Amino acid sequence: DVQLVESGGGSVQAGGSLRLSCTASGFTFDDSDTAWYRQTPGNECELVSTISSDGATYYADSVKGRFTISQDNAKNTMYLQMNSLKPEDTSVYYCAADRFIPVGVGNFPLCPPKALDYWGQGTQVTVSN
């Protein structure tokens, strides 16, 4: 069975940092795009960041310059380093993987993004003032 398991969420004060991890089993990231999504206050599933199979990265404007996505194929793990966190970053964060993850086409209606091949169950990030 394929599983994506997120970890690293928690509660921090504004300005703090967290690093989320997503480890895959039964599946390798080598030939896939991978991404982080989060639930918006309006209950849509927003693409936060993605890294393509050839290493190209994308960031939502709201996180650009603060978040960094990376991947360690040897460990079958992807990461989201989140710095300078803001209260509006509070959400459940989900990792996902697919042969192709679309960018700039709007949000999925719900999280986790089940239209993609694989997704995790999410990890809570809470940022307080």
Side-chain angles (χ1 to χ4, degrees), residues 39-59:
Q39 191 87 37
T40 68
N43 285 327
E44 291 187 323
C45 200
E46 175 189 32
L47 176 61
V48 175
S49 180
T50 184
I51 183 166
S52 68
S53 56
D54 62 1
T57 58
Y58 163 87
Y59 297 94

Side-chain angles (χ1 to χ4, degrees), residues 25-110:
S25 58
F27 167 74
T28 61
F29 290 140
D30 292 2
D31 297 322
S32 295
D33 293 354
T34 56
W36 290 95
Y37 289 82
R38 66 186 179 188
Q39 191 87 37
T40 68
N43 285 327
E44 291 187 323
C45 200
E46 175 189 32
L47 176 61
V48 175
S49 180
T50 184
I51 183 166
S52 68
S53 56
D54 62 1
T57 58
Y58 163 87
Y59 297 94
D61 287 343
S62 58
V63 307
K64 207 171 289 183
R66 300 188 297 122
F67 291 11
T68 303
I69 192 170
S70 62
Q71 193 167 298
D72 185 337
N73 287 347
K75 295 182 178 180
N76 225 25
T77 299
M78 58 181 289
Y79 305 96
L80 186 68
Q81 178 67 43
M82 305 187 296
N83 298 329
S84 302
L85 282 161
K86 304 175 181 180
E88 51 263 45
D89 295 318
T90 295
S91 187
V92 180
Y93 285 72
Y94 300 84
C95 63
D98 199 300
R99 280 283 188 176
F100 174 70
I101 291 179
V103 170
V105 295
N107 297 332
F108 287 107
L110 287 171

